[in-house]
Amino acid sequence: MAPKPTLSRRAAAVPPSPIRRLAPLAAAARRAGKTVHALNIGQPDSPTPQPILERLQRFAQPNIAYGPSEGLPEFREVLRRYYAGLGLEVGADEIFVTTGASEALLFVFAALADPGDEILVFEPFYTNYAGFAAIVGARLVAVTTRPEDGYHLPGREAIEARLTSRTRAILLCSPNNPTGTVYTEEELERVAAICKARGLFLISDEVYREFTYDGRHHRSALTLDAIAPQIVVVDSLSKRVSLCGARVGCVVTRNRELLDALLRCGQARLCPPTLGQLLGCGVEEVPPEVTAGMIAEFQARRDLVYQRLSALEGTLLQKPEGAFYVCPRLPIDDGQRFAEFLLRDFEHEGETVMVAPADGFYATANLGRHEVRLAYVIGGSQLERALEVLVAGLEAYRAATARP
Amino acid sequence: MAPKPTLSRRAAAVPPSPIRRLAPLAAAARRAGKTVHALNIGQPDSPTPQPILERLQRFAQPNIAYGPSEGLPEFREVLRRYYAGLGLEVGADEIFVTTGASEALLFVFAALADPGDEILVFEPFYTNYAGFAAIVGARLVAVTTRPEDGYHLPGREAIEARLTSRTRAILLCSPNNPTGTVYTEEELERVAAICKARGLFLISDEVYREFTYDGRHHRSALTLDAIAPQIVVVDSLSKRVSLCGARVGCVVTRNRELLDALLRCGQARLCPPTLGQLLGCGVEEVPPEVTAGMIAEFQARRDLVYQRLSALEGTLLQKPEGAFYVCPRLPIDDGQRFAEFLLRDFEHEGETVMVAPADGFYATANLGRHEVRLAYVIGGSQLERALEVLVAGLEAYRAATARP
């Protein structure tokens, strides 16, 4: 008898995404005629700005060809000018273009961590960090942040307590997915000081850079000149100009050795998507008022979501400071069960809501069970309505789970 | 003193691509005014067929949005019909869409092999297998094939001799990159019998499926019903319809467990490029005569390349049977030195040629040093001219290396 072919242990370790694992239930709900308001995924409804979308029509090459593994020269130059416009002086050769921030994270994890090495993260964290870590065999070690603190960072000692001889990097995401927290300058410097003292890389996920509210300013890790070779910024055009499906992002670093490693990883996959990069070249033609209008719209949505949720009995949340997520603690026993209930067992006048259970945003077992992530990626009366439906869903869930 | 942050050992293990590592020398040659005929890379000059390219103009969505992690339903259905048209009955849910065959290979390696596990390949092999293996920590173990045999496979014993308790899969690429060899049905069955007897996966890279010459027929591994759950086909639209830069490919397998693992890997990176998939939906509108014309053109080029190279003293090659590569043994001491010489130290009436040194297509040290890979991705008088320049380059290199 031949041995049974089995998958790798690694394959079993790659977690299903809490953002996407409910997709089959949502599809079933839609087939059953329900309207499903999707608050589960960070796919904004913002239109892709015209100067970018127009470039589709202007494509005039005979075929869609490979570009350089490190990105098209004209696109890297556009990105260089974008960073310069933010006061961040980096060379085009310090920008490595990737297939979205996703590939940037995968390659950075691979280049910094061997199997068993550790990357320190703050939980709740962007759930897909766990997927990339599992693929390369790295371990995420989590420092817990709390809704009571608006998910801001604990003190230096609490962070240092989780470092081991295997720690290779600290990963910071600000404005934060899933919490909407924007770390202060002091918090950024706190983490940088640890990285400096312990010789760690600081991976800074800044894909929501522009999404800050109430006049807040986001400070990029690229300003931390004292540890410049340890700074690795992960970025993406997906949210900034509504190009999620184009899959264009980048790594920015002044570390030559890392750039060389990224290039070799990148050569294996040939190149990032050519069309996405050609569209991305239009980013500097987007009028500033378009971006400002988009941010103002998200701030207004944030206000609405915060107002409705904080008025509910048994919820806990601070006002989110950026990105377009909120991660409230709700009066529920289990976010996964609640999310399933909403899709399968509930409707409010033919409508329901899809949310992301927050347990998948934690590395520590049993944390996040009372939280869900909501993405306010729909607006106007639809968002009002989705929140009404969510509130009705909470009441129905409470009634259903209170049964003997 | 803080410890110096260093990259992972894995980072050092990812090899530079022999196809792309000479790009800086080629750029310098072009800056110096030389015309560089690029025979190094599999970027065909074929135009993307109109029914595909037209879809760029027809894009009418407000933004470029994420799609499902497993691929857009309409694109998976197009792929299902494409396979059905070849007599290969697979379900749309047995097709997992990826960011090119590159991501397909990366995810398949990750899902089948843990660090230290082995994948058997036949060398010379598509060099980027080595990059993906290094990223996931798998080991490529190579069975050598020889130009004397037209790079056809050795007997069953020679293959089985390289299997160990860590072997998880055998990877076969036909039509072959870099050799142009199309394995016979008997060769495919030889490998399948080993996989069956030893409980191994058979990863079949079939991206050049249509590129067979002299009336040869390519048999897909998807026909091997006796070991259906062990078959993993890696595919891509890049070459078939000249969509290299669109980054769309797929994995086809009837193994549900593997499909589930691929989905979880895929959820981490959200989705494959939306635009590439929308273009790919046009693949079934491409008239068969367009594909037939393209294949006839490549066969004519193959004839020309074979005729010119086999006439040279000291070369060894069999007539390639498919794909658009040829991997001749040349009268040179070292392919890397020869390739560098062509770009840096040589010109023929202002022109030179870029080739891929074959050593990077071997896992065994010191093999392939007398071979280079040529991609006949240019045609007509330009290909004639490139071959003239190559022949002149060989003479000049011989003269230069013969000096005391």
Side-chain angles (χ1 to χ4, degrees), chain B residues 127-150:
Chain B
T127 177
N128 291 335
Y129 298 158
F132 301 126
I135 290 172
V136 304
R139 255 192 88 211
L140 295 186
V141 172
V143 172
T144 307
T145 66
R146 308 181 317 148
E148 290 84 345
D149 305 323

Side-chain angles (χ1 to χ4, degrees), chain B residues 170-235:
Chain B
I170 300 180
L171 169 49
L172 206 61
C173 174
S174 180
N176 191 272
N177 176 3
T179 65
T181 303
V182 179
Y183 301 127
T184 63
E185 299 219 8
E186 193 281 319
E187 285 175 293
L188 178 66
E189 285 164 6
R190 193 185 313 165
V191 173
I194 298 171
C195 290
K196 185 173 181 191
R198 305 289 284 253
L200 303 174
F201 286 93
L202 198 172
I203 307 169
S204 185
D205 178 345
E206 304 185 358
V207 307
Y208 297 98
R209 181 181 295 117
E210 280 79 2
F211 295 78
T212 59
Y213 309 131
D214 313 317
R216 271 185 193 78
H217 172 71
H218 171 262
R219 179 170 161 198
S220 173
L222 289 170
T223 60
L224 297 164
D225 291 331
I227 53 165
Q230 284 156 259
I231 299 298
V232 187
V233 166
V234 167
D235 212 340

Side-chain angles (χ1 to χ4, degrees), chain A residues 1-21 41-49 52-53 56-59 61-70 99 102-103 106-107 109-115 117 126 128 131-132 135-138 166 168 195-201 229-230 238-239 242-247 255 257-258 261 264-276 279, chain B residues 1-21 41-49 52-53 56-59 61-70 99 102-103 106-107 109-115 117 126 128 131-132 135-138 166 168 195-201 229-230 238-239 242-247 255 257-258 261 264-276 279:
Chain A
M1 238 319 281
K4 185 183 176 315
T6 55
L7 303 190
S8 61
R9 290 185 300 278
R10 178 208 327 263
V14 179
S17 165
I19 304 169
R20 290 177 166 250
R21 70 190 177 207
I41 192 165
Q43 167 59 61
D45 56 345
S46 327
T48 308
I52 292 179
L53 220 43
L56 280 180
Q57 267 72 39
R58 277 159 51 190
F59 184 84
Q61 296 166 26
N63 59 30
I64 296 174
Y66 290 129
S69 298
E70 64 275 19
T99 307
S102 296
E103 187 185 65
L106 179 72
F107 284 175
F109 284 14
L112 301 187
D114 279 311
D117 282 347
Y126 175 50
N128 291 334
F132 301 127
I135 291 173
V136 304
R166 300 299 300 264
R168 309 304 313 275
C195 289
K196 186 174 181 191
R198 306 287 285 253
L200 303 174
F201 286 94
Q230 284 157 257
S238 291
K239 318 293 171 166
S242 213
L243 275 180
C244 293
R247 314 310 294 126
N255 188 308
E257 245 190 310
L258 177 57
R264 284 179 282 109
C265 289
Q267 286 179 339
R269 61 65 164 130
L270 303 167
C271 71
T274 298
L275 291 171
L279 292 184
Chain B
M1 255 267 325
K4 187 184 174 315
T6 55
L7 303 190
S8 61
R9 291 185 299 278
R10 178 209 324 266
V14 178
S17 165
I19 303 169
R20 289 179 166 248
R21 70 191 177 206
I41 192 165
Q43 167 59 61
D45 56 345
S46 326
T48 307
I52 292 179
L53 220 42
L56 280 180
Q57 267 73 38
R58 278 158 50 190
F59 184 84
Q61 296 167 27
N63 58 30
I64 296 173
Y66 290 130
S69 298
E70 65 275 19
T99 306
S102 296
E103 187 185 64
L106 179 71
F107 284 175
F109 284 14
L112 301 186
D114 280 309
D117 282 348
Y126 174 50
N128 291 335
F132 301 126
I135 290 172
V136 304
R166 300 298 301 263
R168 308 304 313 275
C195 290
K196 185 173 181 191
R198 305 289 284 253
L200 303 174
F201 286 93
Q230 284 156 259
S238 291
K239 318 292 170 168
S242 214
L243 275 180
C244 292
R247 313 310 295 125
N255 188 307
E257 246 191 309
L258 177 57
R264 284 179 281 110
C265 289
Q267 286 179 339
R269 60 67 163 128
L270 303 169
C271 71
T274 298
L275 290 171
L279 292 183

Side-chain angles (χ1 to χ4, degrees), chain A residues 83 96-112 119 129 132 136 171 203-207 232-236 247-252 258 262 265 269 272, chain B residues 268-269:
Chain A
Y83 290 112
F96 180 82
V97 179
T98 55
T99 307
S102 296
E103 187 185 65
L105 288 160
L106 179 72
F107 284 175
V108 167
F109 284 14
L112 301 187
I119 297 169
Y129 298 158
F132 301 127
V136 304
L171 169 49
I203 307 170
S204 184
D205 178 345
E206 304 186 357
V207 307
V232 187
V233 166
V234 167
D235 212 340
S236 166
R247 314 310 294 126
V248 273
C250 63
V251 179
V252 188
L258 177 57
L262 293 172
C265 289
R269 61 65 164 130
Chain B
R269 60 67 163 128

